[in-house]
Every structure is written in structure tokens, then in C-alpha cells.
Amino acid sequence: MCGIVGIIGQSPVNTQIYDALTLLQHRGQDAAGIMTSSRGKFQLQKANGLVKDVFRTRHMKRLEGNIGIGHVRYPTAGSSSPALAQPFYVNSPYGIGMAHNGNLTNTSELAEDLFRTDLRHLNTDSDSEVLLNVFAHELGDLKKLRPTPDDVFTALTALYKRCRGAYAATGMISGFGIFAFRDPNGIRPLVYGKREADNGSIEYMVASESVALDVLGFELVRDVRPGEALVITESGKLYTKQCAENSTLTPCIFEHVYFARPDSVMDDVVVYKARRRMGERLAEKIKREWADHDIDVVIPIPDTSRVSGLAMAQTLGVKYCEGLVKNRYIGRTFIMPGQAQRKKSVRQKLNCVSLEFEGRNVMLVDDSIVRGTTSRQIIQMAREAGAKKVYLASAAPAVKFPNVYGIDMPSAEELIASGRTVEQVEREIGADKLVYQDLDDLIACVDGINPDIKEFECSVFSGEYVTGDVDAEYLLRLDAARNDAAKKSDGNKKEEDEDEAVVGIHNEVD
Ligand SMILES: O=P(O)(O)OC[C@H]1O[C@H](OP(=O)(O)OP(=O)(O)O)[C@H](O)[C@@H]1O
Ligand SMILES: NC(=O)CC[C@H](N)C(=O)O
Ligand SMILES: [Mg+2]
């Protein structure tokens, strides 16, 4: 998942974009970038690292202008090299910058077409650079000296016909303004909001999650619709248009399970409420199928499962306690790039308060079990802390299939539940009992709130991919390119890239 933001205001936007990116940091910890526009020139600072590490005062001073976009990256295509940090830039036509969340599923075909037919150069193996170049080609093809909002919509209509997969994006065009668009399935989230500036003019912001609007004082207008594009010109005028034919809102359910902050609202669903319901449904399942359970205490595995853990304990009528303490200086472990780093970080991140475990039958709750890195270690720790029995409940169903839409789960083999029964996973992680949420129950937690949502993108649980273009051969290629072993050899490449950072167009300037 990545986080994106775009602001068009009446005063410098650099610190506001910085603040928005810190609010979206949970969506990507690998790299961050801000691009602003001032007096016909773009300024850019992007590099690997957390937002607080990427931007120094000297960078912020350079990032001048009342228009800007920002990105926090969690890589799902190409390497983790700083050259793939976003926003990306192309100089023609006009000068365009873009930040993208999601993952294209026809990147190689598009890259080939861009090279052979559109005569455009790609400098990295990022799908986001491909997305930007498709847009730039289509806009340039209109051969206008100055683009109009309609030209941008025409270019995006053509982009929708060419690009497949998941994409929520925002960008800026020099001398023109900001644009944003969401794929025809609305797989990745995107909202926009407005606020009144001191001079009475309206300022606009687009962002991956509403939490960024809330904290920066923007009022949430609504979600960008699937297949919809919006344009805000430098003079502050907003235009919206439905550009893709056959759009159906099928948002990613995993946003509600894990990715989003609980205080965000996505497609009219309050993430916090969805997570509470997940806890309630899990409790109902336990009451139904294990009526004579002997759970003494429910303990969530922080951070994400806290909300559902509490709801589950309340519905079960069992004591809830925070028996695991999280080191607030360690980020999210699941979105870290390598398995060795993930494994080490779980222990550094979580520690037991032994007295909550001693002599008790403990029900641990997590939002999801993906590779099993977290649950294996926590169950072991719970036993060492003196628990009598250690049970585990997952607020999401078993994760069995790769994700191709912006979550870095490329290989079924790395998923602990792939090809295993519940009992086999239970044994693998060392639990005395394992309870998974049923998929119908998970869907029921988020369904019915927004009638426009006809279906959710649930591929990691069901193996069904809503874009209809993902087959076994595609998944095989993805696995070979991005499984942990492949990424490890890419890690060596990253070090080389860093040595050669001075030749990249992503140069950091001191
Ligand atoms: O089975 P695994 O491969 O370990 O992945 C699942 C775990 O990873 C995530 O936690 P993470 O530490 O990323 O973030 P959190 O603090 O928001 O819970 C998620 O909440 C689970 O705890
Ligand atoms: N998680 C994402 O949204 C990733 C965006 C893009 N595919 C990248 O790898 O940079
Ligand atoms: Mg977690």
C-alpha cells in the first residue's frame, strides 16, 4: 500500500504535505517524497526512509509553492531503490509529476507499447513510472500548447482504456494545477476535501485516507468514485468527470482489516466500526462453535487488532487486557521488505506483561495471519510468560492467495495458510486452538453501509481477482519476480544503486 496526497492552496503547502505524509506513514515506510510547483518550476525531494528522516529543514525550504503532491512508498513493483521513490516526473508535455498507490497488472505490455509505439523512455522498473508515461503520452497526443480540464479528462479516458489493475493517483501539471483519479474498480482508496483559506478562497486536498484531511483541517467532501477523475486548476476551480466506462466499486477489503487507520472513513465505511464488528462476529463464531470455551482473558496483538480484540472480549463477556506492550519506535513489521527484518522486528516490537499470562488460558487476537511471522513468535512468548493454554483468533479469514493490487504478497508459498488446513496452521504456529473469521462474516462487517459497493476485492481470501486479467501464468511470473529470494538478490542491487545514486535523476541534494 502506499499513501498519496495532493494539495492546492493559497499559501506554501510544503509543511502541510509533510504533515499529511506523517499521517499516512502506516501505508508505506520504505521511501517518501514531496514535489511542489512554484513559478513554473518543480522542486522535488525523495529518498528511502521514513518521512521524518527524508526531509530536512534545507529540503523543506527548497520545496516552495502553493501546489504540491506527496507519497509514502511500500514497494509492490520493481526494487526498493531510491530511484523508485515517488513522486515521478516527466518533462513532456508541460512538466508532470505523479504519485501512485496500487499496482498495475499489465505493466510489461504497457512498457513495451510505451517503448515501441509511443517512443517514450522508462528509467526504472516501476509500474508507477509506466502509469505516468501513459498519461503523459495521451495528454501530449492532444498537441495543445496549454491543456484544459477537458484535455486532462480526455487523456485519462484513454489511460483507463490502456491501464489495468489498481491505481489511485494524484499529480500536478506545470502551469495548470492538480489532477487525481481512481481505477474503474476503486480498489485503492482516494478521498478529497476542501477548506476556506484566510482570503476566502477554497483550498483542496486529495489523499489516500480521510485522517489526513481531518488533521489538516480539511472537510471531507467525498470519495473519488471508481473511474472518476478530478482536476483543480491553479485558480482554484474544481472539475470532476466520470472518465471510465463500466466502473463498479469493488474496494479492497484488506484496507479495513489491516492497512487503513481506524479513524479513517473509506467509501463511507468507518474503519473503526468495521474492525469492531470483526471482533463481534469472531466472538459470535466462538459462542456458536465452542460454547464451552475456557478462555480466561483476551489479549490483542498490537497495534491493529486492538479494536477488534476489545469488541470480541466484550461480546464474549471475557476479561480484556493489554498484555503485550508495543515499542512505539518500531514501525509496522508486515510491510517491511525482508523476512529476516520482519522476524527480528516482531521481538523488538512486542513484549509480554507476564502477570497477564501466568496460569491463564489466553486468547490472543490478531487482525490477520499472513506469513505467520508474528503469531509464531507471540505464541512462544506467551508460553514463556507462563500461559496455561494459548489460543489465537484472526479477525480475517485465512490468507491463501497472492495480492496483485498493491499489497506485497506475491507468493502463495510464503503464506502460512496456503495449502494448509486450519489444524495444520494451528500446529505450524504452535497454538492450542486457532479460530479464523469466516469470509461471509468479514464481508458482512463492511457490507450494507454503502449501497454503491456491490462487491469487495477479497482475492487474498478467495483467489478471485476482480479485474479479470489475473491467471495462473500471471501469478507464476509474479512469484518468480518478487518472492523473498528474488527480492534478496534485488537487495544487493539496491546497495549498488545507492553507491551510484549520483547518476540517478532522483538525486538527493544537500
Ligand atoms: O502473519 P504476519 O506475516 O506476521 O503478518 C500479520 C501481522 O502483521 C501485521 O502487523 P504489523 O506489525 O505490520 O502492524 P500493526 O502494528 O499495525 O499491527 C498484522 O497486524 C499482523 O499482526
Ligand atoms: N503499494 C503501492 O501502492 C505501491 C505503488 C507502486 N506499485 C510501487 O511499487 O511503488
Ligand atoms: Mg499486527
Side-chain angles (χ1 to χ4, degrees), residues 240-315:
T240 63
K241 188 169 180 191
Q242 187 63 36
C243 290
E245 293 160 10
N246 307 323
S247 300
T248 324
L249 184 57
T250 42
C252 171
I253 207 161
F254 213 71
E255 290 279 352
H256 292 279
V257 169
Y258 169 69
F259 270 105
R261 263 180 55 150
D263 45 342
S264 282
V265 189
M266 285 184 167
D267 297 307
D268 294 341
V269 180
V270 180
V271 177
Y272 177 88
K273 193 162 178 188
R275 289 197 186 146
R276 272 203 64 88
R277 288 180 172 182
M278 289 175 209
E280 289 161 8
R281 290 259 168 178
L282 255 181
E284 295 302 342
K285 179 170 177 178
I286 290 171
K287 281 185 181 172
R288 218 169 42 238
E289 296 182 4
W290 189 20
D292 59 344
H293 73 78
D294 56 357
I295 303 165
D296 295 319
V297 63
V298 170
I299 298 180
I301 301 178
D303 218 20
T304 302
S305 64
R306 276 190 167 133
V307 179
S308 41
L310 178 58
M312 175 173 155
Q314 286 168 339
T315 313

Side-chain angles (χ1 to χ4, degrees), residues 53-94:
D53 301 319
V54 167
F55 305 99
R56 299 273 156 235
T57 308
R58 59 181 184 277
H59 303 130
M60 297 306 285
K61 280 190 183 147
R62 273 196 356 253
L63 291 165
E64 292 177 333
N66 298 356
I67 302 176
I69 56 176
H71 189 266
V72 282
R73 181 170 189 235
Y74 159 55
T76 58
S79 71
S80 302
S81 155
L84 281 78
Q86 301 192 35
F88 273 104
Y89 166 73
V90 286
N91 71 340
S92 174
Y94 318 113

